[in-house]
Amino acid sequence: RAAKPEGQIGDESFYDVWGPVLGVWEGHAADAQIRYEGSSGGAATALGLFALEQLGMHGVLHTRACTNIPYLNETVLSRTREDVLAGAGSRYAPASPCAGLRLIENAPGPCVFIGKPCDVAAVRKVMEARPGLRERIGLTIAFFCAGTPSTEGTLEMMRRMGIRDATSVVSLRYRGHGWPGMATAEFRDDRGNVQKRQLTYEQSWGEILQKYRQWRCYICADHVGEYADIAVADAWHRSVADNQPGRSIMIGRTERGKEILEEAVDWGFIDAARAGHEILPL
């Protein structure tokens, strides 16, 4: 864990549970498309785009569906709005964003890193050993994580949808297009026509995917991105109706993260208001 920062919100017991918290916001991406595509309020995508377009960062290293095999993931360094949006939304399958750190290290300017809490913690350790990488990490964003399901979990989810041939799948989205959103797969039937199948979040995550989480995730000490500059999450403290507009919680964990959040709100990339730390339960 990072050292307790100056400006920490809450008492010692709050810090023990939540780690560094310099500010809490609740809201969503101001851009309606980003909010729609994102799994909750699109905050991580909007913040990455803000860093790219307004802060002059070189790129955003993140995870998206593999171009050739949509039920797998790939790590990419995105430099345009279109490419950043292509990675919007949760990917409940194995992902290795740290495999792309060389892309950041060789970049001509600072970049954004978006990943799981464990990924961001790993980046912090690597930065200590590689000064060149440290100079190129302009912002780290972590999302709250309940664990990573195996690829077999995704295959089982598709079987529940009635899709027996994984190679027939042309697109796969785990959430988004409303909050919490539907797991949606498009595939080609025996006649070559594209068909669509869906499961609710309760069915896909609650009944299937979470059962396939790796053992390491069950003993994880950090589900909330304590080592990131900014941590983002669903606003689960609110009741959620089917496919309502999404909302995000955003936590500034470092001075840099807090400042960027404030700037993103001021520039109109994020529509959010400061929230009390009480929305993060002990």
Side-chain angles (χ1 to χ4, degrees):
R1 167 176 293 182
K4 184 176 180 180
E6 186 176 346
Q8 167 74 20
I9 292 174
D11 59 18
E12 193 68 32
S13 61
F14 181 79
Y15 175 75
D16 288 342
V17 174
W18 287 98
V21 178
L22 303 187
V24 182
W25 285 258
E26 181 182 354
H28 52 81
D31 185 297
Q33 181 185 2
I34 295 176
R35 187 181 188 186
Y36 180 69
E37 296 288 344
S39 289
S40 51
T45 302
L47 288 166
L49 197 61
F50 171 69
L52 192 67
E53 295 184 348
Q54 296 299 329
L55 300 183
M57 294 196 190
H58 175 75
V60 179
L61 191 75
H62 61 134
T63 300
R64 71 180 184 191
C66 183
T67 304
N68 299 323
I69 310 175
Y71 62 86
L72 300 180
N73 293 326
E74 63 182 5
T75 300
V76 294
L77 182 67
S78 293
R79 301 201 58 221
T80 67
R81 171 190 168 88
E82 180 182 13
D83 287 343
V84 172
L85 262 66
S90 297
R91 300 294 301 171
Y92 294 137
S96 302
C98 288
L101 287 179
R102 185 71 68 183
L103 297 174
I104 293 181
E105 196 166 34
N106 294 334
C111 296
V112 181
F113 179 92
I114 302 177
K116 304 180 295 295
C118 58
D119 299 322
V120 174
V123 168
R124 292 295 181 196
K125 296 298 290 185
V126 177
M127 286 168 63
E128 294 176 5
R130 288 159 58 174
L133 177 65
R134 183 169 61 247
E135 294 173 0
R136 290 292 182 265
I137 295 289
L139 175 68
T140 57
I141 301 174
F143 45 83
F144 283 22
C145 179
T148 299
S150 66
T151 302
E152 182 58 32
T154 293
L155 296 176
E156 176 60 27
M157 182 184 75
M158 292 192 296
R159 286 191 288 266
R160 178 78 69 88
M161 293 174 171
I163 302 171
R164 300 300 172 185
D165 180 8
T167 64
S168 69
V169 175
V170 296
S171 70
L172 177 64
R173 185 178 68 249
Y174 292 85
R175 287 177 60 191
H177 293 191
W179 186 39
M182 304 281 283
T184 304
E186 293 183 330
F187 67 101
R188 295 191 182 277
D189 61 20
D190 294 339
R191 297 183 177 182
N193 298 316
V194 176
Q195 305 285 344
K196 182 168 73 173
R197 296 288 187 272
Q198 292 185 308
L199 293 174
T200 65
Y201 179 65
E202 290 76 13
Q203 292 171 321
S204 60
W205 175 261
E207 297 179 9
I208 304 170
L209 293 169
Q210 59 91 16
K211 297 177 182 178
Y212 287 85
R213 288 174 292 174
Q214 56 190 324
W215 170 245
R216 185 251 187 255
C217 297
Y218 285 92
I219 59 173
C220 179
D222 177 17
H223 294 279
V224 295
E226 293 186 18
Y227 289 90
D229 293 309
I230 299 173
V232 299
D234 291 81
W236 288 131
H237 65 291
R238 296 187 178 275
S239 59
V240 182
D242 288 342
N243 297 321
Q244 69 183 55
R247 297 186 67 81
S248 297
I249 297 297
M250 292 151 274
I251 301 174
R253 294 198 175 279
T254 65
E255 280 294 338
R256 179 161 182 74
K258 177 174 173 285
E259 290 173 2
I260 289 177
L261 273 168
E262 292 171 338
E263 292 174 6
V265 173
D266 290 343
W267 277 88
F269 278 72
I270 297 288
D271 183 355
R274 292 292 290 263
H277 68 279
E278 296 81 9
I279 68 173
L280 304 175
L282 291 175

